[in-house]
Amino acid sequence: MDFRELDRLNRRDLLRGTAMLGAGAAFMQPLPLLAQAGSMSDVRKAVEAGKDASIKRLRDWIALPSIAAENRNMTEGAAYMAELAKDAGFTNVEIVPTDGHPGVFGTIDVGAKRTLGIYFMYDVKQYDPAEWSSPPLEGKMVDRPGFGQSIMGRGAVNQKGPEATFLAALHAIRAAGRKLPVNIVLVCEGEEEIGSPHFRQIATKPNILAALKKCEGIFIPMPGQDSSGNVAVNLGSKGIIELELVASGEKWGRGPKKDVHSSLKAMVDSPAWRLVQALQTLVTKDGNTPAIEGWFENVRPLTEREKTLIREAAKADNDEAQMKQALGVTHWIDNLSYDDALIRLAQEPTVNIEGLVAGYTGPGGKTVLPGRAVAKLDLRLVPNQTRAEAEKKLRAHLDKHGFTDVEVNVSGGYDPTEVDEKSSLIRSELATYKKLGVNASLNARMAGSWPGATFTAPPVSIPAGHFGIGHGSGAHAPDEYYLIDSTNPKVAGLVDATMGYAEFLYTLAAIK
């Protein structure tokens, strides 16, 4: 999931822009007591009885890494996802081919009045075992101070842990002898970690599109609790384009077609410097603001209400120093105040360099003049920008500035997402959190990205968001983990997180 969690830090703490609902709830009963006191005791007993099976299901899933960027285990990953769906009660399960890696689709139709969509991804990010304190595919139990016993492995929190927990809720409801209160449509892809380049093909397949259009909304499971037990309800997220800019002697017609000795720089042009010059035109001199012609033409600024939400959250949380320490920074961009920096985080589109690759990058020096240089970029988009518009403007900008030879290789991306807080999906999320005793907040716009626009835009046109309690961290990073047995009374472990999804299904079915 491209929430771009920064080095094992809690996503909510980094991408916030929120105002607390029900502030003042400084202390909560442990979540197990709340769940046991409700009308779901039979489901809870089934969840507890199935806990070991739920852990094994997640551990086995972690052991099968499907990595789209490496074309690793993609066929096997889709087949495994399909079996997980069937085992949880989905019917009409199909592996959906695309021009890239396949997706998975399935439904549960119990004749209910309402239908809920669920978005899954079965792919995970790359990993280097040498950077991990525990083997990334073994799913070992480790202690995370302040949280409790957690399962560690690639995909543990992004996204197999929360997804397996939602499946556990379906298993438990069936084991309790209950009928699901809503119909469910499952749509899953295997390319989220490379920008979902073919996901639209899945969502708009005629039978899948017809099923999605019946949904009240769709959500991706997310363990959203921080150490205080708080969660954020996202009202949107930025879009993204992932791409490479490539400068080469071959395309340029100047400089070498392959690496040559660096002494020749006195008489030979450098594709690496060519790329640097092209990059410098994309942003202002300080690198902080996109300078691509027309980039801000369709940008929708935050409303005054959205800005107020962010300022109130900054004032209430009062954790600027902690956030700076966690990020390893001493100043915000342009020396902005904390709340202005948070507004900028939510409001501004960005042009970011993820990596630069050219010539020799190993130990010591190697006197070469590279024949090819590559910059890996991500461009974050805000409403009302679109991926198609942004790609067109980037190409036109480079051409206008004389860089017609610099290649733009887009690997994936999608538009920004927005959801109405008055939708039954968002109201059900807030009502469920309230029922569980979890302090919820409205997040004006998440600075990270996910392909929710595939659902919110035509032809699907349904609300899309995130929901879930529990905790995990380390997405895209070493030592990724997902909380199983919580020692923090304000944060849900596996059993309570499973109950959270069960409660949500019943809440959605009853919401007015």
Side-chain angles (χ1 to χ4, degrees):
M1 170 182 296
D2 188 59
F3 295 132
R4 301 307 186 207
E5 183 180 18
L6 305 179
D7 192 26
R8 293 175 283 177
L9 297 172
N10 182 273
R11 183 185 304 119
R12 178 184 177 275
D13 291 335
L14 296 177
L15 305 182
R16 68 181 58 187
T18 63
M20 304 309 296
L21 304 179
F27 177 75
M28 297 186 302
Q29 287 179 276
L31 289 171
L33 296 181
L34 292 174
Q36 288 170 345
S39 61
M40 302 275 285
S41 58
D42 57 336
V43 177
R44 185 177 185 84
K45 288 179 181 178
V47 172
E48 292 171 340
K51 179 183 175 184
D52 289 344
S54 297
I55 295 172
K56 183 179 187 304
R57 189 180 301 119
L58 175 54
R59 182 173 284 127
D60 290 347
W61 202 0
I62 289 172
L64 178 64
S66 299
I67 303 175
E70 299 176 349
N71 194 21
R72 178 178 177 183
N73 294 331
M74 299 311 297
T75 300
E76 296 85 350
Y80 195 81
M81 180 69 249
E83 289 305 312
L84 286 174
K86 292 175 184 176
D87 190 43
F90 286 92
T91 59
N92 305 313
V93 175
E94 62 174 294
I95 295 176
V96 186
T98 72
D99 292 339
H101 300 303
V104 176
F105 167 71
T107 61
I108 299 178
D109 188 347
V110 295
K113 293 182 180 180
R114 286 180 168 167
T115 301
L116 173 67
I118 303 295
Y119 167 82
F120 274 18
M121 51 183 277
Y122 65 85
D123 64 319
V124 299
K125 272 294 185 185
Q126 309 93 311
Y127 59 88
D128 180 356
E131 297 176 342
W132 289 62
S133 64
S134 175
L137 301 184
E138 291 189 9
K140 287 187 175 180
M141 297 296 293
V142 299
D143 181 63
R144 307 306 293 179
F147 291 102
Q149 286 291 301
S150 304
I151 190 167
M152 182 174 286
R154 176 53 85 222
V157 70
N158 187 12
Q159 266 312 109
K160 294 177 178 179
E163 291 171 351
T165 305
F166 180 83
L167 295 178
L170 301 185
H171 280 279
I173 291 172
R174 182 174 58 188
R178 292 194 181 207
K179 185 174 79 170
L180 282 171
V182 294
N183 310 311
I184 300 179
V185 174
L186 171 69
V187 184
C188 180
E189 69 164 314
E191 296 182 326
E192 200 282 340
E193 295 294 10
I194 59 171
S196 304
H198 303 101
F199 183 52
R200 187 176 175 83
Q201 294 179 12
I202 299 171
T204 57
K205 187 172 181 283
N207 64 315
I208 299 176
L209 176 60
L212 285 172
K213 289 179 76 69
K214 296 177 183 178
C215 295
E216 295 279 322
I218 189 166
F219 79 88
I220 178 171
M222 183 181 76
Q225 289 185 287
D226 60 17
S227 59
S228 297
N230 300 325
V231 299
V233 175
N234 297 309
L235 299 180
S237 61
K238 291 184 179 180
I240 191 172
I241 302 175
E242 295 201 71
L243 60 93
E244 291 182 342
L245 295 187
V246 182
S248 65
E250 182 176 5
K251 289 285 185 179
W252 188 17
R254 305 184 66 87
K257 294 183 179 180
K258 60 181 181 179
D259 292 1
V260 298
H261 197 279
S262 66
S263 65
L264 295 171
K265 180 65 194 78
M267 63 184 298
V268 176
D269 291 304
S270 167
W273 281 115
R274 176 76 170 169
L275 178 62
V276 169
Q277 291 164 352
L279 290 170
Q280 287 177 328
T281 71
L282 300 182
V283 292
T284 53
K285 288 184 177 181
D286 57 10
N288 291 343
T289 304
I292 300 167
E293 281 81 3
W295 200 248
F296 289 86
E297 181 180 16
N298 295 318
V299 166
R300 178 183 75 75
L302 291 174
T303 65
E304 287 305 312
R305 178 175 181 276
E306 289 169 331
K307 290 180 180 179
T308 297
L309 291 177
I310 295 172
R311 292 189 190 281
E312 290 179 355
K315 183 178 180 180
D317 293 341
N318 194 30
D319 62 354
E320 179 179 12
Q322 180 182 354
M323 191 172 178
K324 281 182 174 179
Q325 182 179 9
L327 292 172
V329 301
T330 57
H331 299 83
W332 301 122
I333 200 168
D334 298 332
N335 292 318
L336 293 175
S337 65
Y338 183 43
D339 52 351
D340 284 340
L342 289 174
I343 288 173
R344 198 180 195 282
L345 175 68
Q347 179 173 272
E348 297 298 313
T350 62
V351 173
N352 177 60
I353 298 176
E354 296 179 351
L356 291 170
V357 183
Y360 179 70
T361 60
K366 185 179 181 183
T367 51
V368 296
L369 191 166
R372 186 174 186 270
V374 179
K376 293 181 178 291
L377 305 184
D378 64 66
L379 316 178
R380 301 283 175 170
L381 310 177
V382 301
N384 294 317
Q385 290 180 296
T386 68
R387 170 185 169 177
E389 167 207 353
E391 289 181 20
K392 182 178 179 180
K393 288 178 176 177
L394 173 62
R395 181 69 270 172
H397 171 91
L398 290 170
D399 293 349
K400 178 181 178 179
H401 288 265
F403 296 100
T404 56
D405 56 288
V406 174
E407 300 172 67
V408 179
N409 299 326
V410 176
S411 58
Y414 35 80
D415 295 346
T417 302
E418 290 192 285
V419 60
D420 188 347
E421 64 182 281
K422 297 179 181 178
S423 67
S424 58
L425 178 73
I426 298 301
R427 289 187 294 111
S428 295
E429 290 186 20
L430 292 171
T432 305
Y433 288 134
K434 183 177 180 180
K435 186 175 182 181
L436 294 170
V438 173
N439 206 22
S441 58
L442 282 178
N443 185 2
R445 182 182 301 158
M446 190 172 67
S449 307
W450 77 293
T454 303
F455 306 115
T456 57
V460 182
S461 302
I462 61 174
H466 313 80
F467 176 81
I469 55 176
H471 173 79
S473 191
H476 299 183
D479 288 355
E480 179 180 355
Y481 71 89
Y482 181 65
L483 182 62
I484 300 297
D485 292 315
S486 178
T487 57
N488 185 331
K490 297 181 181 181
V491 180
L494 177 62
V495 169
D496 287 317
T498 304
M499 288 302 302
Y501 292 121
E503 292 279 7
F504 178 76
L505 299 180
Y506 283 91
T507 302
L508 178 66
I511 201 82
K512 301 297 185 182

